[in-house]
Amino acid sequence: MTEKGIHTDFKDNMTYGEYLRLDKVLESQERLSGHHDEMLFIIIHQVSELWMKLILHELNTAIESIEKEELPEAFKMLARVSRVQTQIIQAWDVLSTLTPAEYMEFRESLGRASGFQSYQNRLIEFALGYKQSHILKIYEKDAELASELKAAYEAPGIYDVAIRALSRAGFPINQELLNRDFSVTYKGDPTVASAWLEVYRDVDRYWDLYQLAEKLVDIEDSHQQWRFRHMKTVERIIGFKTGTGGSSGVNYLKSVLDHQFFPELWDVRTKL
């Protein structure tokens, strides 16, 4: 049965496909090898990059909101980031249907291209406070992109603005942290540890800061799950081969699993 009122004449109106620019999106899956399973490989990575774009959109606005002392607005954005993270974690389950033999049929077509070069993944790491200077060299080919990455590399991450929020709330935070060199990965500070401990011991008084802390823990937890699933999927498909981008592959992915973005938020659980 056809419903009355459904629009069918789009000569002078925008269609769904035009709004989403599906012509460009769906023409962007070009298999260089022609192998059937290369389509899976391309789509998984493209979809993950789209989700990363949304993560960055939410994370960067959350950073601005925290700086403006608009914590409830930031909570909504950070909660959305956590939901998006479940999508990119589950994407590894789909990619893991690719067998080693199938991948080797088209791996050479990638040349030196590698997920290690994902600039959006780097921007997410920068927003979470993980900074590595040697990474920037990868992007020198594109001056505009290199400039964007350098700006993000030098900007405060979300934990830096959370520490500033602690200071504004009256906690005696080490003042050197508030305008430090943000291109240096944060390692931890006793004044920050003491502040979070007080927040967790008096949740009712510091409810907004407590909520902020838990939202950050959610994001780090999910990001580490994503890293782990990435590592295991790579191990499942190529074992311990060197990555196409020249990294040590699984060994590199394992090396970052122990890094903590927000160290005091994990340590506080032991101290409570």
Side-chain angles (χ1 to χ4, degrees), residues 67 85 109 117:
E67 284 282 70
Q85 286 175 306
S109 300
Q117 300 147 14

Side-chain angles (χ1 to χ4, degrees), residues 66-256:
I66 295 168
E67 284 282 70
K68 295 176 184 176
E69 301 185 54
E70 299 172 349
L71 293 186
E73 290 82 352
F75 297 159
K76 176 63 182 296
M77 298 163 197
L78 296 178
R80 182 174 291 161
V81 169
S82 294
R83 292 297 182 90
V84 174
Q85 286 175 306
T86 64
Q87 299 298 313
I88 62 173
I89 291 169
Q90 291 173 358
W92 296 121
D93 292 338
V94 182
L95 186 58
S96 66
T97 64
L98 181 69
T99 68
E102 291 163 346
Y103 180 53
M104 293 310 295
E105 289 288 331
F106 63 85
R107 189 179 190 231
E108 287 189 4
S109 300
L110 275 63
R112 293 184 177 179
S114 165
F116 185 82
Q117 300 147 14
S118 168
Y119 67 85
Q120 290 200 124
N121 183 39
R122 298 306 175 191
L123 287 170
I124 290 171
E125 289 183 339
F126 292 171
L128 295 179
Y130 186 52
K131 311 288 182 76
Q132 293 180 301
S133 60
H134 68 276
I135 291 298
L136 297 175
K137 188 170 180 59
I138 295 172
Y139 310 100
E140 290 178 351
K141 179 179 180 179
D142 185 330
E144 185 176 347
L145 176 58
S147 177
E148 179 185 355
L149 281 154
K150 188 173 186 296
Y153 178 76
E154 295 173 348
I158 195 159
Y159 198 52
D160 295 307
V161 298
I163 290 171
R164 286 176 173 177
L166 289 172
S167 180
R168 287 195 299 269
F171 290 101
I173 299 297
N174 178 359
Q175 292 298 296
E176 293 180 1
L177 294 178
L178 305 182
N179 291 291
R180 68 184 186 86
D181 180 357
F182 297 114
S183 68
V184 177
T185 299
Y186 178 78
K187 300 296 185 182
D189 185 273
T191 62
V192 175
S194 296
W196 284 126
L197 184 58
E198 188 171 342
V199 167
Y200 274 78
R201 282 177 171 167
D202 197 346
V203 171
D204 292 338
R205 181 178 178 184
Y206 300 112
W207 178 252
D208 279 353
L209 290 170
Y210 172 72
Q211 284 283 88
L212 174 59
E214 286 298 290
K215 290 288 188 292
L216 294 179
V217 169
D218 286 343
I219 288 172
E220 176 161 353
D221 189 349
S222 293
H223 194 80
Q224 292 296 66
Q225 290 183 49
W226 178 83
R227 280 176 163 177
F228 179 79
R229 290 296 299 127
H230 184 187
M231 181 270 292
K232 293 306 292 184
T233 302
V234 171
E235 184 178 3
R236 176 172 178 159
I237 296 174
I238 68 168
F240 285 81
K241 291 185 179 73
T242 300
T244 50
S247 76
S248 58
V250 169
N251 286 326
Y252 169 78
L253 296 173
K254 284 185 175 180
S255 72
V256 297

